Amino acid sequence: MFLRTFGWSFGVSIAALVVAFLYGGPQALFLCLVLGVLEVSLSFDNAVVNARILERMNPFWQKMFLTVGIVIAVFGMRVLFPLLIVGLTAKLSPVEAVQLALEKGPIEEPGTYAYILHHAHPQIAAFGGIFLLMIFLDFFFEERHIKWLHWLEMPLAKVGRMNGASLVVGLFALAVIGQLTAPETQGTVLMSGIFGMVTYFLVKGLGELFDVDESGEIDAGDIPTAAGGTHGKGPNKAVQASGKAAFMLFLYLEMIDASFSFDGVIGAFAITSDPIIIALGLGLIGAMFVRSLTVYLVRQGTLDEYVYLDHGAHWAIGALAVILLLTIGIEVNEVITGLIGVFFILTAFIASLRRNRRTAREPEPAETA
């Protein structure tokens, strides 16, 4: 199972390292390896969330995520997205943006590719931070049968009973961040945050166009439920999304994947500004392993066996959202970003183990005649 799931990732990683060595020698190989490790460490919580959505799709759409999805992840987010941001910010044509990227100027030098992308970080962080914050809020504002951190999740569930609670909290968070932002970037930060919120509600709202049909197709309007688990009942393996519902889940999954990758893409420029090395390390190595880990979690049924992993992943999403929003005004080391996600996942895993052992020790109820 392990080799079958991760075989392609190991193969692609070896090929990427060979290409990096041929491209830039031992230094490029080392940087490519560092970026791959960085991406996996930053995206472990992403894999848990992805797995919960992916298990709701039929085999065809699962393959789409692993084929078309990986193309979007590697070339869309790790190559085209930075080029698009630099092109729009510096008012450059696509060809000029590529030429600027290949010049490999340092991040401290004004006018370089790395410098321009670094200074576009407030807008990127506002969009991604608000998008992830809405996912976190909608998960914990919903009443759940299973709770991990009762002292936090109980009050959040009570707040969630208020209509539009996530929208109110999201707008309040954006207003606070706007006040803490430098005046020259305040307008763009607020607009980017609003676009992040609109994107979330648009993807969520589009799902309401589709209903469960007689074939058992799930309601894609319940996208946050699919993303956030099954309320402690375990997934219904017989009910998997197909057709329009699966397409909506696929779009939602790609949006989450993109939002998670923002911090990795920006953080990569603290290591190297070479777009080729970033594509090889973050894209081919990092993104492939994250996808393999996602599939492994689905096939092993890990999320059903360790019931607090969903909660840990969404607490990690909330932490990442807050960090992204804070980085608009202050510097946060990428190591902290990565370790917070790992901390929540590992803590939730350990808590799940303890719960399983405790449940196993409990005597089964006596059968009544």
Side-chain angles (χ1 to χ4, degrees), residues 8 23 45 61 66 72 74 77 102 117 139 145 168 173 202 204-205 222 242 248 254 268 276 299 302 322 342 355 357:
W8 273 102
Y23 172 74
D45 45 358
W61 282 99
L66 298 173
I72 296 173
V74 175
M77 287 308 303
L102 295 176
L117 187 60
F139 182 87
H145 175 64
V168 171
L202 179 63
K204 176 184 174 182
D222 199 22
S242 60
M248 292 306 305
E254 289 302 319
I276 304 299
R299 291 176 177 172
T302 305
V322 171
V342 173
R355 178 185 184 275
R357 291 171 183 170

Coordinates of all heavy atoms in Angstrom, one line a residue, residues 8 23 45 61 66 72 74 77 102 117 139 145 168 173 202 204-205 222 242 248 254 268 276 299 302 322 342 355 357:
W8 N 5.0 7.0 -7.1 CA 5.1 8.1 -8.1 C 5.8 9.3 -7.5 O 6.6 10.0 -8.1 CB 3.8 8.5 -8.6 CG 3.3 7.6 -9.8 CD1 2.5 6.6 -9.8 CD2 3.8 7.8 -11.1 NE1 2.3 6.1 -11.1 CE2 3.2 6.8 -11.9 CE3 4.7 8.6 -11.8 CZ2 3.4 6.6 -13.3 CZ3 4.9 8.5 -13.1 CH2 4.3 7.5 -13.9
Y23 N 20.7 21.4 -13.8 CA 20.4 22.9 -14.0 C 21.3 23.8 -13.3 O 21.8 24.8 -13.8 CB 18.9 23.2 -13.6 CG 18.5 24.6 -13.6 CD1 18.3 25.3 -14.8 CD2 18.4 25.3 -12.4 CE1 17.9 26.6 -14.8 CE2 18.0 26.7 -12.4 CZ 17.8 27.3 -13.6 OH 17.5 28.6 -13.6
D45 N -1.3 19.6 7.2 CA -2.7 19.8 7.5 C -3.6 19.9 6.3 O -4.8 19.5 6.3 CB -2.9 21.1 8.4 CG -2.0 22.3 7.8 OD1 -1.3 22.1 6.8 OD2 -2.1 23.3 8.4
W61 N -13.2 11.2 -10.2 CA -12.8 12.6 -9.7 C -11.6 12.5 -8.8 O -10.9 13.5 -8.7 CB -14.0 13.3 -9.1 CG -15.0 13.8 -10.1 CD1 -16.1 13.2 -10.6 CD2 -14.8 15.0 -10.9 NE1 -16.7 13.9 -11.6 CE2 -15.9 15.0 -11.8 CE3 -13.8 16.0 -11.0 CZ2 -16.0 16.1 -12.7 CZ3 -14.0 17.0 -11.9 CH2 -15.1 17.0 -12.7
L66 N -5.6 13.9 -8.9 CA -4.3 13.5 -8.9 C -3.6 13.8 -10.2 O -2.4 13.7 -10.4 CB -4.2 12.0 -8.6 CG -4.7 11.6 -7.2 CD1 -4.7 10.1 -7.0 CD2 -3.8 12.2 -6.1
I72 N -2.5 21.8 -12.0 CA -2.8 23.1 -11.4 C -1.9 23.5 -10.3 O -1.5 24.7 -10.2 CB -4.3 23.1 -11.0 CG1 -5.2 22.9 -12.2 CG2 -4.7 24.4 -10.3 CD1 -6.7 22.7 -11.8
V74 N 1.2 22.5 -9.6 CA 2.6 22.7 -9.9 C 2.8 23.9 -10.8 O 3.5 24.8 -10.5 CB 3.2 21.4 -10.6 CG1 4.6 21.7 -11.1 CG2 3.2 20.2 -9.7
M77 N -0.1 27.3 -9.5 CA 0.2 28.0 -8.2 C 1.7 28.3 -8.1 O 2.1 29.3 -7.5 CB -0.3 27.2 -7.0 CG -1.8 27.3 -6.9 SD -2.5 28.9 -6.9 CE -1.6 29.7 -5.6
L102 N 13.7 35.0 -14.8 CA 14.9 34.3 -15.1 C 16.2 35.0 -14.8 O 17.3 34.5 -14.8 CB 14.9 33.8 -16.6 CG 13.8 32.8 -17.0 CD1 13.8 32.6 -18.5 CD2 14.0 31.5 -16.2
L117 N 7.3 40.3 -6.0 CA 6.4 39.3 -5.5 C 6.4 39.5 -4.0 O 5.3 39.3 -3.3 CB 6.9 37.9 -5.9 CG 5.9 36.8 -5.5 CD1 4.6 37.0 -6.1 CD2 6.5 35.4 -5.9
F139 N -16.5 25.5 10.0 CA -16.3 24.2 10.6 C -16.7 24.2 12.1 O -17.5 23.4 12.5 CB -14.9 23.7 10.4 CG -14.6 22.3 11.0 CD1 -14.8 21.2 10.2 CD2 -14.2 22.2 12.3 CE1 -14.6 19.9 10.7 CE2 -13.9 20.9 12.8 CZ -14.1 19.8 12.0
H145 N -21.2 16.4 16.8 CA -21.4 15.3 17.8 C -20.1 15.1 18.6 O -20.0 14.9 19.8 CB -21.9 14.0 17.2 CG -22.0 12.9 18.1 ND1 -22.8 12.8 19.2 CD2 -21.3 11.7 18.1 CE1 -22.7 11.7 19.8 NE2 -21.7 11.0 19.2
V168 N -19.9 37.8 10.0 CA -19.7 38.9 10.9 C -18.3 38.8 11.4 O -17.6 39.8 11.4 CB -20.7 38.8 12.1 CG1 -20.3 39.8 13.1 CG2 -22.1 39.1 11.6
A173 N -12.6 40.6 11.5 CA -11.2 40.3 11.4 C -10.6 41.1 10.3 O -9.4 41.7 10.4 CB -11.0 38.8 11.1
L202 N -18.9 32.2 -2.9 CA -19.3 31.9 -4.3 C -19.2 30.4 -4.5 O -20.1 29.8 -5.1 CB -18.4 32.7 -5.3 CG -18.7 32.4 -6.8 CD1 -20.1 32.9 -7.1 CD2 -17.7 33.2 -7.7
K204 N -19.1 28.1 -2.3 CA -20.0 27.4 -1.4 C -21.5 27.6 -2.0 O -22.2 26.6 -2.0 CB -19.9 28.1 0.0 CG -21.0 27.5 1.0 CD -20.8 28.3 2.3 CE -22.0 27.9 3.2 NZ -21.9 28.7 4.5
G205 N -21.8 28.8 -2.4 CA -23.1 29.0 -2.9 C -23.5 28.3 -4.2 O -24.6 27.9 -4.4
D222 N -23.5 21.1 0.2 CA -23.1 20.8 1.5 C -21.5 20.6 1.5 O -21.0 19.9 2.2 CB -23.7 19.4 2.0 CG -23.6 19.3 3.5 OD1 -23.5 20.3 4.2 OD2 -23.6 18.2 4.0
S242 N -20.5 12.5 -7.8 CA -20.1 12.4 -9.2 C -20.8 13.5 -10.0 O -21.6 14.3 -9.4 CB -20.7 11.0 -9.7 OG -22.1 11.0 -9.6
M248 N -18.1 20.5 -8.3 CA -18.1 21.6 -7.3 C -17.1 21.3 -6.2 O -16.4 22.2 -5.7 CB -19.5 21.8 -6.8 CG -20.4 22.4 -7.8 SD -19.9 23.9 -8.6 CE -19.5 24.9 -7.2
E254 N -9.6 22.6 -5.0 CA -8.5 23.3 -5.6 C -8.3 24.7 -5.0 O -7.2 25.2 -4.9 CB -8.7 23.5 -7.2 CG -8.6 22.2 -7.9 CD -7.2 21.6 -7.8 OE1 -6.2 22.3 -7.8 OE2 -7.1 20.3 -7.6
A268 N 9.2 30.6 -0.1 CA 10.2 30.0 -0.9 C 11.2 31.1 -1.4 O 12.4 30.8 -1.5 CB 9.6 29.3 -2.1
I276 N 12.7 28.2 -11.5 CA 12.9 26.8 -11.9 C 13.0 25.9 -10.7 O 12.4 24.9 -10.5 CB 14.1 26.6 -12.8 CG1 13.9 27.6 -14.1 CG2 14.2 25.2 -13.3 CD1 12.7 27.3 -14.9
R299 N -7.4 6.0 1.5 CA -7.4 4.5 1.3 C -7.2 3.8 2.7 O -7.8 2.7 2.8 CB -6.3 4.1 0.4 CG -6.5 4.6 -1.1 CD -5.3 4.2 -2.0 NE -5.6 4.6 -3.4 CZ -4.7 4.6 -4.3 NH1 -3.5 4.2 -4.1 NH2 -5.1 5.0 -5.6
T302 N -7.9 6.6 7.6 CA -7.3 7.2 8.8 C -8.2 8.2 9.5 O -8.2 8.2 10.7 CB -5.9 7.8 8.4 OG1 -5.1 6.8 7.7 CG2 -5.2 8.3 9.6
V322 N -4.7 33.1 10.6 CA -4.3 34.2 11.5 C -2.9 34.6 11.2 O -2.5 35.8 11.1 CB -4.4 33.8 13.0 CG1 -3.8 34.8 13.9 CG2 -5.9 33.6 13.4
V342 N 1.9 21.1 12.0 CA 2.4 19.8 12.5 C 2.0 19.6 14.0 O 1.6 18.5 14.3 CB 3.9 19.7 12.3 CG1 4.4 18.4 13.0 CG2 4.3 19.8 10.9
R355 N -8.3 8.3 22.8 CA -9.7 8.1 22.8 C -10.0 6.6 22.4 O -10.9 6.0 22.9 CB -10.4 9.0 21.8 CG -11.9 8.9 21.7 CD -12.5 9.8 20.6 NE -13.9 9.7 20.5 CZ -14.5 8.8 19.8 NH1 -13.8 7.9 19.1 NH2 -15.9 8.8 19.7
R357 N -8.1 4.0 22.7 CA -7.8 3.0 23.7 C -8.8 3.1 24.9 O -9.2 2.0 25.4 CB -6.4 3.4 24.3 CG -5.3 3.1 23.3 CD -4.0 3.7 23.8 NE -2.9 3.5 22.9 CZ -1.7 4.1 23.0 NH1 -1.4 4.9 24.0 NH2 -0.8 3.9 22.1

